[in-house]
Amino acid sequence: MTDLLAALLLGIIEGLTEFLPISSTGHLLIAQHWLGARPDFFNIVIQAGAILAVTLALRPRLWALATGWRAPEQRDYLAKVVVAFLVTALVGLPVRWAGWELPETVTPIAWALMLGGVWMLVAERWAERRGDRAEVTWTVAVLVGLAQVVAGVFPGTSRSAAAIFMAMLAGTSRRESAAEFVFLVGIPTMFAASGYAFLELVGEGAVGRQPWGEVAVAFAAATVTGFAVVRWLLGYIKRHRFTGFAVYRIAFGALLLLLMPPGS
């Protein structure tokens, strides 16, 4: 398989999994086990492609926030998006500076997939007992920011799953409201992560050594597939629970543990 074809497949996988609560990073790392490892910069930048997709998919909501900021409710919502992003940045940067790197083995990802699936089943049922609440509180904003950091430290957790279910448990029990807020917070979060990774490469003088052709192909594929997925998901969760995604996580994680040799 050529490097460009592998990059195309990885971009499609990223676009398909970034917004579904099944862990895009976990799926990318597992795919790279067979398609060849890629640097962290590759993984971060193609995630930015998926975030560009959600920016396009949510452009009416973004436009409403940009043009309606004089309205107290719009200004309050926008401030909560900013707070969630700042919490992620202020907590996540020290983790990055401490030298954290993605794991090279599949086993911890498999466990994170299974445990996360069980947690999703329990959390959604618990959230449903709190009634149908669409409001995003300041507590929700802070906890969503922290959830994003936790998901970044433990691949297989899923940023969208961790943040959406944290929002639902903290008070925003309506699925589509929690998902929309998390996706909006993800826009500055992932663009900032990509920008930071690029600045690190510039500082190391390593920009010219990156596989830019592969990155571009994967970025485009992630954008196109991510746009389709986020449009579908926001409609799907208005009528369905997350149970199917949780079952998939548990089954996929168990399958990985059965098929992969110990320590791989």
Side-chain angles (χ1 to χ4, degrees):
M1 181 180 295
T2 67
D3 290 339
L4 283 179
L5 179 56
L8 175 64
L9 292 175
L10 290 172
I12 292 173
I13 291 170
E14 165 60 27
L16 289 173
T17 59
E18 176 63 38
F19 305 107
L20 301 181
I22 57 177
S23 178
S24 61
T25 303
H27 279 74
L28 280 176
L29 292 174
I30 292 166
Q32 290 176 18
H33 193 80
W34 288 281
L35 297 176
R38 297 296 192 280
D40 287 350
F41 176 77
F42 178 94
N43 296 325
I44 292 172
V45 170
I46 65 172
Q47 284 179 325
I51 299 302
L52 175 59
V54 79
T55 303
L56 297 173
L58 294 181
R59 61 190 183 280
R61 183 70 170 108
L62 290 168
W63 180 252
L65 288 172
T67 58
W69 60 271
R70 290 183 179 86
E73 64 274 13
Q74 296 280 49
R75 195 163 57 244
D76 179 74
Y77 190 94
L78 184 58
K80 289 168 182 172
V81 171
V82 172
V83 165
F85 165 68
L86 290 176
V87 169
T88 302
L90 292 174
V91 179
L93 275 175
V95 173
R96 180 74 176 180
W97 292 337
W100 172 85
E101 295 181 352
L102 293 173
E104 297 181 355
T105 58
V106 173
T107 301
I109 297 171
W111 280 109
L113 284 167
M114 290 192 299
L115 294 174
V118 173
W119 181 73
M120 285 169 59
L121 292 173
V122 174
E124 186 166 32
R125 185 167 296 276
W126 183 269
E128 286 176 344
R129 296 178 181 175
R130 310 190 68 171
D132 185 25
R133 299 174 59 184
E135 179 188 4
V136 177
T137 65
W138 290 103
T139 299
V140 168
V142 172
L143 291 178
V144 163
L146 293 175
Q148 290 196 132
V149 178
V150 172
V153 173
F154 299 102
T157 303
S158 171
R159 186 191 64 82
S160 61
I164 289 171
F165 281 92
M166 184 61 74
M168 291 174 64
L169 288 173
T172 309
S173 56
R174 186 179 296 177
R175 289 184 291 270
E176 60 267 31
S177 298
E180 181 185 69
F181 181 74
V182 167
F183 291 164
L184 289 169
V185 174
I187 293 171
T189 299
M190 289 311 304
F191 278 144
S194 297
Y196 185 82
F198 181 77
L199 290 176
E200 283 186 324
L201 287 175
V202 171
E204 297 169 359
V207 174
R209 299 198 300 269
Q210 299 303 313
W212 290 106
E214 297 175 35
V215 171
V217 168
F219 181 92
T223 301
V224 173
T225 54
F227 180 84
V229 167
V230 73
R231 291 287 297 271
W232 171 80
L233 181 64
L234 288 174
Y236 175 84
I237 59 177
K238 290 180 180 179
R239 303 179 299 275
H240 302 87
R241 299 174 63 184
F242 286 102
T243 304
F245 299 113
V247 172
Y248 167 80
R249 290 177 62 115
I250 295 169
F252 187 39
L255 184 64
L256 288 173
L257 289 179
L258 287 173
L259 296 180
M260 300 302 295
S264 61

